[in-house]
Amino acid sequence: MNLSFFDQFTSPYLLGIPLILISMLFPALLLPSPNNRWITNRLSTLQLWLFHLITKQLMIPLNKNGHKWALLLTSLMTLLLTINLLGLLPYTFTPTTQLSMNMALAFPLWLATLLTGLRNQPSIALSHLLPKGTPTPLIPALIMIETTSLLIRPLALGVRLTANLTAGHLLIQLISTATTALLPIMPTISLLTALILFLLTILEVAMAMIQAYVFVLLLSLYLQENI
């Protein structure tokens, strides 16, 4: 029984084809068709408004030099948002529940922000390792602490996204199993757990969007320190 709870974190197959690949084709249906006008219907208007809102929120803490990262950060936000929401569909798989994928996204982007700071303003980038006014006896210890804090950032990004999504999926699995098991025995309690499951599903949809936003926002804040 314990192993069955984690079966949802393996990609289901149909005729040898991973269903997550099929589900990821659905967002392509939302892309506007080629036209000589920017806005053709309400859907394209909503899409443009959403992209503008995401880009605006991510670019607020950055100066003009950081605006070069707008396309990368907005694309990453869209990718994570799409994957997280598609993973809530039945018979699909959430790749962002795998630490390997999240680390593959977090580490190169964090390293890029760090190398950007070391290349453009090395003295300011290195000064973050030692706060101003630090007593002399505490300098070696603080440098070690700040260096560890800096190096652990990509791990924190990946683990945060993995842990939150995994916990939400497991909780939904547990409550849905309880709802099914209680239905023939105690229908009233089963209906109550079904209501809790519905509210939890809404919360998980919000969590999927929030975690995608937090992941990209933290990257933009790391970038702000280095430009």
Side-chain angles (χ1 to χ4, degrees), residues 40-127:
T40 56
N41 51 39
R42 293 180 180 178
L43 180 59
S44 60
T45 303
L46 180 61
Q47 289 176 331
L48 289 175
W49 173 81
L50 181 61
F51 285 133
H52 177 265
L53 179 64
I54 292 174
T55 307
K56 180 181 177 181
Q57 292 298 321
L58 294 177
M59 293 299 107
I60 284 178
L62 301 178
N63 57 24
K64 187 173 294 185
N65 293 329
H67 293 176
K68 301 174 184 177
W69 292 63
L71 180 60
L72 175 62
L73 295 178
T74 305
S75 301
L76 178 62
M77 174 75 179
T78 306
L79 173 67
L80 292 176
L81 189 60
T82 303
I83 291 177
N84 291 351
L85 292 178
L86 286 177
L88 295 174
L89 296 177
Y91 303 104
T92 56
F93 166 68
T94 311
T96 45
T97 57
Q98 306 298 312
L99 184 60
S100 57
M101 176 177 175
N102 295 335
M103 289 301 298
L105 291 173
F107 183 77
L109 293 172
W110 165 82
L111 185 61
T113 61
L114 181 62
L115 294 179
T116 299
L118 293 176
R119 184 188 65 178
N120 295 335
Q121 43 185 18
S123 59
I124 298 179
L126 293 176
S127 67

Side-chain angles (χ1 to χ4, degrees), residues 107 110-111 114 118 125-131 138-156 222 225:
F107 183 77
W110 165 82
L111 185 61
L114 181 62
L118 293 176
L126 293 176
S127 67
H128 293 153
L129 301 179
L130 185 63
L138 297 179
I139 288 179
L142 277 179
I143 290 179
M144 293 179 61
I145 293 173
E146 292 296 331
T147 303
T148 304
S149 175
L150 178 65
L151 296 178
I152 208 173
R153 283 180 174 181
L155 181 62
Y222 297 159
E225 294 180 357

